[in-house]
Amino acid sequence: MRAPLSIIIPTLNAEAGLAATLEALMEGLSAGLIREVIVSDGGSGDRTLDIADEAGCVIVSGKASRGGQLARGAEAARGEWLLFLHADTLLEAGWSAKVSAHLRTGQAGYFRLRFDATGFGPRWVAGWANLRSKVFGLPYGDQGLLVPLSAYRAAGGYPEIPLMEDVAIARALRGQLRGIPCEAVTSWERYERAGWLKRGGRNLMTLLRYFLGASPDHLAESYRK
């Protein structure tokens, strides 16, 4: 019986965190869970592709765009289940058993978010993300997305947009998403660099503007500024 899971990781100059992310996935190979790990790159100029190649990943390349990269990765996947994961996100030890159990439900799922830092800011931001996911069914990409290939296709897949692709597919999967009792530990660096209140407020405003019909291209341009 073939392993069911294709793991898809979008990358762009991700050498700082990719090796640790891949190492955390190794228990899934021992458990017979992972069929392949696909790194969908957007034109990295660092050692990202060397790290992916040394780890035996399948590599697909194209234009830098989170939605487009995720879509290209999914097109290359051969597993019956897809797990989309950011390059700076580590699944906690024991994740493979919890994911295996979740596969039996047939439901799409996401992980509980935790940041690799302590203090009020990381706890508050992660707490809000987990509450938003549970109450509103809107997990973000740094929480991972585990989805049957059939459900992914029925939802239309990831749109090729530069921002809000995770919200778009979560809305398309509304009512099908379930929390997985497992933590995804992601980098706090972006919040620390920008200031967690400022970044958190900007994220919320971006979400509201998207719901009000703002173009993802315009949102991405504003977000980069």
Side-chain angles (χ1 to χ4, degrees):
M1 183 176 178
R2 291 181 175 177
L5 191 60
S6 292
I7 300 179
I8 299 155
I9 303 175
T11 57
L12 181 62
N13 296 327
E15 67 176 5
L18 182 58
T21 295
L22 294 174
E23 184 177 356
L25 296 176
M26 290 302 102
E27 67 173 75
L29 287 174
S30 301
L33 187 62
I34 298 176
R35 181 166 181 174
E36 61 198 348
V37 177
I38 300 170
V39 166
S40 184
D41 192 66
S44 293
D46 61 3
R47 293 196 65 255
T48 294
L49 295 184
D50 292 334
I51 293 168
D53 185 58
E54 290 165 5
C57 299
V58 176
I59 297 172
V60 296
S61 299
K63 180 181 176 182
S65 168
R66 182 68 63 78
Q69 288 175 237
L70 291 166
R72 286 193 295 272
E75 288 173 5
R78 298 174 297 164
E80 296 177 3
W81 283 79
L82 309 178
L83 172 56
F84 299 94
L85 195 67
H86 284 186
D88 61 353
T89 297
L90 279 67
L91 298 183
E92 69 173 338
W95 70 267
S96 57
K98 294 173 182 177
V99 165
S100 293
H102 187 86
L103 295 186
R104 293 193 286 271
T105 72
Q107 297 283 329
Y110 58 89
F111 301 99
R112 221 171 33 240
L113 180 65
R114 179 166 66 85
F115 288 103
D116 61 353
T118 58
F120 177 76
R123 289 197 304 271
W124 191 91
V125 175
W128 158 244
N130 293 326
L131 180 66
R132 181 193 64 234
S133 303
K134 183 176 181 179
V135 175
F136 300 107
L138 288 175
Y140 282 0
D142 50 13
Q143 293 170 257
L145 176 66
L146 177 67
V147 59
L149 177 60
S150 57
Y152 174 82
R153 288 175 173 167
Y158 274 101
E160 294 200 21
I161 54 179
L163 196 67
M164 308 308 292
E165 77 292 331
D166 44 5
V167 175
I169 198 165
R171 295 176 81 183
L173 291 167
R174 182 66 59 87
Q176 302 177 60
L177 289 162
R178 299 290 182 271
I180 303 169
C182 176
E183 287 186 337
V185 184
T186 196
S187 172
W188 179 249
E189 181 182 358
R190 292 164 296 168
Y191 285 88
E192 189 172 45
R193 186 169 58 242
W196 71 269
L197 279 174
K198 181 178 180 181
R199 187 178 180 92
R202 184 175 62 173
N203 287 348
L204 181 58
M205 183 58 64
T206 301
L207 179 63
L208 291 174
R209 289 177 63 196
Y210 177 70
F211 282 160
L212 291 172
S215 161
D217 291 311
H218 292 159
L219 291 175
E221 184 177 350
S222 298
Y223 198 81
R224 285 192 292 268
K225 293 178 181 178

